[in-house]
Amino acid sequence: MSTHAEPPAPDAVEHMPPEQRDAFRTAIRLEWISLGVLAVIAAAVGLVAGQSQAMKAAWVEDLLSLLPPIAFLIAARVIRLRATREHPYGHHRSIGVAHLVAAVALFAMGSFLLYDSAMGLIKGDKPPIGLTVLFGVDIWAGWLMVVVMTASGIPPVILGRKKMRLAETLHDKVLFADADMNKADWMTALATVVGVLGIGIGIWWADAAAAIVVSASILSDGTKNIRAAIRGLTDVRARTFDEKKPHPLTDEAERQTRLIPWVADAVGRVRDEGHVFHAEMFVVPEDGHIPTPEDLDAIRRSITDLDWKLRDVVVIPTRTIPTGQVPPSA
């Protein structure tokens, strides 16, 4: 007789409620749009960059901005693979791996650009911005840079705001990092415009200074995202999508379990596996009550019913709360 009472678990996307499924599909479309828009922006910036250090840094950042959408789209395909005996927890952690890959690339390139820009400032490099011919008219090339950078700052504002809302709905940290990168993009565009105009009025060091600001922004994004990705992959307690605080679902699951009449105490540990959480709930029965399999299954269902993210729940009856596995709060 089979002991598998339930049909095979749905994949990560089938498991989502309708709101999250719609948000997931929207996020995929948005990331494809982002790739197209960023490719055009990177090509335009590359064409007018000239010898400007700030423009060069902005161009590299535009290329780096392609990484989070690519990481998201790859992870979006991998998480749909069903759990197997070889991968009993499914493939949700691909979100965390994609997050780490994008974060390390950001950190490495931010470090390189900061060093390169600082050395240019120390050596007193004076980037030449000459004239260019447009429709038969000689114009200062800096004006082209200002126009391109101003135009390039608009799409990231729109895309970033949309992605931020979807990141919260989906509890998706790759999408959150991407929205953060879009914020850095428009800030980079603004800093670059200031740097180029500085050269135009004779402030030669404004270009290198703007490049340093851009590089510091990339480095800060990389550092922040590496920290968040490592925390997730090393099973820190589940946190909100923006990493600002512990996720409230842990407390809610414990409170829900303690409301059951035969439960004397309950403490859970919850880890973030990507979009969904894996939860283990340690339950101490009242004296004299021996929980049946049906009792434990009822607890599991009451926890999974709390929120779609609580997908993988294990209930463990125990005589006392094992503080070695769920240490008390400091």
Side-chain angles (χ1 to χ4, degrees):
M1 182 179 69
S2 172
T3 56
H4 293 173
E6 296 181 351
D11 73 28
V13 180
E14 292 170 349
H15 168 81
M16 293 177 179
E19 180 187 3
Q20 277 68 31
R21 281 203 300 271
D22 290 344
F24 189 71
R25 285 192 284 267
T26 302
I28 290 175
R29 284 198 299 272
L30 210 54
E31 293 296 31
W32 279 114
I33 292 171
S34 293
L35 287 178
V37 170
L38 289 170
V40 172
I41 290 176
V45 172
L47 283 174
V48 301
Q51 298 301 312
S52 166
Q53 195 72 20
M55 289 293 292
K56 188 168 68 176
W59 178 68
V60 173
E61 190 185 32
D62 287 336
L63 293 179
L64 288 171
S65 297
L66 297 169
L67 288 177
I70 291 172
F72 175 87
L73 290 170
I74 293 174
R77 293 188 66 85
V78 174
I79 64 170
R80 304 197 70 144
L81 300 175
R82 296 178 188 276
T84 63
R85 294 290 289 175
E86 187 68 19
H87 294 276
Y89 294 99
H91 300 269
H92 306 288
R93 281 291 175 89
S94 59
I95 294 288
V97 174
H99 191 190
L100 182 61
V101 170
V104 170
L106 285 174
F107 181 84
M109 292 308 297
S111 301
F112 167 75
L113 289 172
L114 184 60
Y115 172 79
D116 196 43
S117 305
M119 291 305 293
L121 185 63
I122 293 170
K123 293 176 180 176
D125 293 341
K126 299 178 182 179
I129 299 181
L131 299 177
T132 189
V133 179
L134 190 64
F135 303 117
V137 178
D138 289 342
I139 63 170
W140 181 54
W143 290 123
L144 285 180
M145 298 178 186
V146 170
V147 170
V148 168
M149 292 311 300
T150 301
S152 73
I154 297 172
V157 174
I158 300 170
L159 292 170
R161 290 173 67 86
K162 289 180 177 294
K163 290 174 189 174
M164 191 63 79
R165 286 197 293 269
L166 294 173
E168 183 173 8
T169 302
L170 291 168
H171 186 75
D172 193 308
K173 294 180 181 179
V174 179
L175 212 51
F176 177 75
D178 193 13
D180 218 22
M181 189 72 190
N182 288 146
K183 179 183 174 184
D185 285 343
W186 70 257
M187 292 175 64
T188 298
L190 182 62
T192 305
V193 168
V194 171
V196 171
L197 292 177
I199 296 173
I201 61 175
I203 307 175
W204 67 267
W205 50 262
D207 183 63
I212 289 174
V213 171
V214 172
S215 306
S217 170
I218 298 172
L219 190 58
S220 173
D221 275 342
T223 304
K224 185 169 61 176
N225 281 287
I226 283 177
R227 187 185 303 123
I230 290 177
R231 284 171 65 88
L233 291 172
T234 53
D235 290 338
V236 70
R237 68 182 298 187
R239 301 183 71 82
T240 53
F241 76 103
D242 54 8
E243 287 286 317
K244 288 184 177 177
K245 58 184 179 181
H247 203 287
L249 275 177
T250 302
D251 291 339
E252 288 181 30
E254 290 176 349
R255 191 162 46 245
Q256 173 89 357
T257 306
R258 289 172 186 150
L259 289 175
I260 294 173
W262 60 264
V263 173
D265 196 6
V267 178
R269 59 180 182 183
V270 179
R271 63 181 177 181
D272 189 335
E273 293 190 325
H275 294 135
V276 297
F277 294 164
H278 173 83
E280 295 164 308
M281 187 63 66
F282 296 91
V283 177
V284 179
E286 292 282 2
D287 288 342
H289 183 88
I290 300 176
T292 65
E294 288 75 18
D295 288 337
L296 301 178
D297 194 50
I299 291 179
R300 183 182 66 81
R301 291 179 184 277
S302 72
I303 294 174
T304 55
D305 287 345
L306 279 175
D307 192 282
W308 69 276
K309 287 190 287 294
L310 287 165
R311 181 184 183 189
D312 190 351
V313 177
V314 177
V315 180
I316 306 154
T318 180
R319 292 182 183 278
T320 59
I321 297 298
T323 54
Q325 293 170 291
V326 278
S329 301

